[in-house]
Amino acid sequence: GVGMGMTAPVSITAFPAEDGSFQQKVKVSLRIPSQFQDNPPCPTDESIKIEERQGMTIYSTQFGGYAKETDYVNYAAKLKAALGSEASYCKDFYFCNGYDPPMKPYGRRNEVWFVKE
């Protein structure tokens, strides 16, 4: 019965296929606003879970515009190329993050994160 409104960032965990595209499974994560952090409301939908994301070190790239799956895939490929073979990071998944509400037409910020191993 508690509305928390929209939060930022919206974080999508992408699981890349062999060709770099997203597999059919993705995980969408929303940040719980600060005032609810200590005691978040319980979800009424069983498919919604509250998880705590542990601290991590990431490799990141940023881009603008209204991001689509192809944008995240392309920027993930660019980040992978920029890191080369020397960087050690998780290759099973990566995070796609959007920081802006849908009605913001300019100055949008999106990021791709690879988690350092």
Side-chain angles (χ1 to χ4, degrees):
V2 176
M4 293 189 299
M6 191 61 191
T7 65
V10 172
S11 186
I12 298 170
T13 306
F15 301 89
E18 289 293 322
D19 64 358
S21 66
F22 289 3
Q23 291 184 28
Q24 289 299 311
K25 66 176 184 176
V26 295
K27 180 177 173 181
V28 178
S29 302
L30 305 172
R31 184 183 179 282
I32 295 176
S34 298
Q35 66 266 33
F36 298 107
Q37 287 283 321
D38 290 336
N39 189 20
C42 294
T44 56
D45 183 326
E46 290 180 9
S47 68
I48 298 172
K49 308 286 186 229
I50 296 177
E51 298 178 353
E52 185 171 335
R53 189 179 280 178
Q54 298 300 315
M56 63 184 95
T57 301
I58 60 164
Y59 298 105
S60 177
T61 189
Q62 182 177 322
F63 62 98
Y66 284 97
K68 297 180 266 329
E69 177 181 341
T70 56
D71 299 312
Y72 286 118
V73 169
N74 289 337
Y75 278 92
K78 289 178 183 180
L79 181 56
K80 180 179 179 180
L83 292 172
S85 60
E86 296 299 312
S88 177
Y89 57 90
C90 182
K91 299 186 178 51
D92 296 338
F93 68 91
Y94 59 90
F95 295 107
C96 306
N97 302 290
Y99 291 86
D100 301 294
M103 60 290 238
K104 182 179 178 184
Y106 303 106
R108 299 181 64 79
R109 182 175 138 209
N110 309 291
E111 295 176 348
V112 173
W113 295 355
F114 290 172
V115 178
K116 182 178 179 183
E117 289 185 321

